[in-house]
Amino acid sequence: MIAAVLVGLGLTMVGVTPAQADTKGCTFYGNMSVGGYSVPAGSYCATIVGSGTYVTGVQGEFYAPNLCNWDVTAEFFTNNWVWKTTYTSARNYGCSYGSAWAPFIGVSRTISQLTGTSSGYMCSTLRVGGQRVTSVCNYIY
């Protein structure tokens, strides 16, 4: 089951960073076509803002030469990779050039409130046209 979720998300356990306070994870992606849009190679980072197991929110940022019709998500999973809830930022229907900050996703919950377990994962996904470009995950304990 865990492998199916990881494969479905295009993720591996490599690069999953434990979060004890604010923590940031980054990933790089190549040129692709997503949701009918041409997506140039770039990078995506997501910062979990909080302390201990309390998550204030998630801040996404990316660098791409030209990215249009994008948004980001904050998805929460139990420590066994069972999906529990997803928060989505406002969508930017225009285009962003260079680096950009996504709208802050306010959460204001503990990981146990979000997942029902004492620890868990937050995966943030950069999307174009509502379709996944890349994701970055962090472990919260």
Side-chain angles (χ1 to χ4, degrees):
M1 178 69 175
I2 293 171
V5 171
L6 293 174
V7 169
L9 290 173
L11 304 172
T12 64
M13 290 299 288
V14 176
V16 176
T17 307
Q20 294 178 336
D22 289 0
T23 190
K24 182 177 188 175
C26 297
T27 188
F28 297 91
Y29 57 90
N31 295 320
M32 63 183 82
S33 178
V34 176
Y37 293 88
S38 177
V39 177
S43 63
Y44 177 65
C45 297
T47 302
I48 300 172
V49 179
S51 179
T53 60
Y54 189 82
V55 179
T56 303
V58 176
Q59 179 70 64
E61 63 182 293
F62 64 86
Y63 174 81
N66 182 22
L67 201 61
C68 303
N69 193 26
W70 57 268
D71 64 17
V72 300
T73 67
E75 305 146 33
F76 291 88
F77 299 83
T78 69
N79 50 14
N80 291 321
W81 287 100
V82 175
W83 173 84
K84 288 299 184 172
T85 190
T86 299
Y87 294 82
T88 305
S89 75
R91 180 171 289 176
N92 178 332
Y93 288 97
C95 296
S96 298
Y97 303 90
S99 61
W101 291 89
F104 184 77
I105 300 172
V107 175
S108 298
R109 305 258 188 289
T110 65
I111 193 65
S112 63
Q113 291 171 319
L114 291 162
T115 66
T117 56
S118 61
S119 59
Y121 296 91
M122 186 289 302
C123 295
S124 183
T125 300
L126 172 63
R127 305 187 311 178
V128 167
Q131 302 296 311
R132 180 185 178 277
V133 173
T134 191
S135 299
V136 62
C137 295
N138 287 285
Y139 183 61
I140 303 169
Y141 62 93

